[in-house]
Amino acid sequence: MKLRLIVLSAAVIATLPLPSHTQTPTSSVDPYRDEPFVFERYDTTTTMKADGTGDIVQHVIVRIQSDGVARQFSVLNLPYASANSTATMEFVRVHKPDGSTVNTPVDDAMEMPAEVTREAPMYSDLKEKHLPVRSLASGDRLEYQFHTVLSKAQAPGQFWGRSISWCRVAWFWNGV
């Protein structure tokens, strides 16, 4: 009797439909496919010391989905105030759809006065580093990391910063 019950139960279970998540294929349509670009990562980490000095590290990965955006991102721009900070481009990489990676030498960056200094010379300490990105095209992923060292406090004993609403900002306090 028990054997018939087990066989009957197994037969009934075998005829039951599988859960719906295995029957319907999952849609792998990218919800951002119509956007010209997509920030896959936009992290800014700011580390401040009690004396107002510190570091700002920005790590970005952006998916380029149009030729116009490829032209827009073809020259990266890193602004900084030379009177109280130094800026370096740590790396710039283009990840191709075929899996290859093209590195842009950061030593090719050109330092220039910021555009505002032409009209307002009082801001002559504002500089920008410009770096032409190698081999950037639609369909690529651009990854870069910038590092700014705040070597002199703008107001000793104080610090302040900016946060952009569409990026994740992490603050670390190294105060005494």
Side-chain angles (χ1 to χ4, degrees), residues 77-83 85 87 110-117 123-130:
N77 173 356
L78 173 58
Y80 66 100
S82 63
S85 61
M110 299 171 285
E111 184 174 299
M112 305 171 74
E115 189 174 332
V116 69
T117 61
Y123 296 110
S124 62
D125 70 320
L126 299 181
K127 308 279 186 206
E128 293 178 347
K129 288 195 176 184
H130 294 262

Side-chain angles (χ1 to χ4, degrees), residues 47-104:
T47 306
M48 300 300 294
K49 297 177 184 164
D51 63 357
T53 62
D55 293 285
I56 301 170
V57 178
Q58 184 180 35
H59 186 192
V60 177
I61 301 173
V62 60
R63 188 171 63 219
I64 308 297
Q65 300 186 154
S66 76
D67 292 330
V69 171
R71 284 189 298 277
Q72 182 180 2
F73 279 95
S74 66
V75 177
L76 293 178
N77 173 356
L78 173 58
Y80 66 100
S82 63
N84 61 358
S85 61
T86 57
T88 56
M89 296 178 164
E90 294 186 340
F91 62 82
V92 177
R93 303 177 186 130
V94 175
H95 302 284
K96 297 291 189 178
D98 66 2
S100 63
T101 300
V102 177
N103 290 313
T104 298

Side-chain angles (χ1 to χ4, degrees), residues 146-164:
F146 295 163
H147 183 197
T148 304
V149 177
L150 307 172
S151 54
K152 181 180 167 189
Q154 292 179 352
Q158 298 183 24
F159 68 91
W160 59 88
R162 63 180 175 169
S163 67
I164 302 171

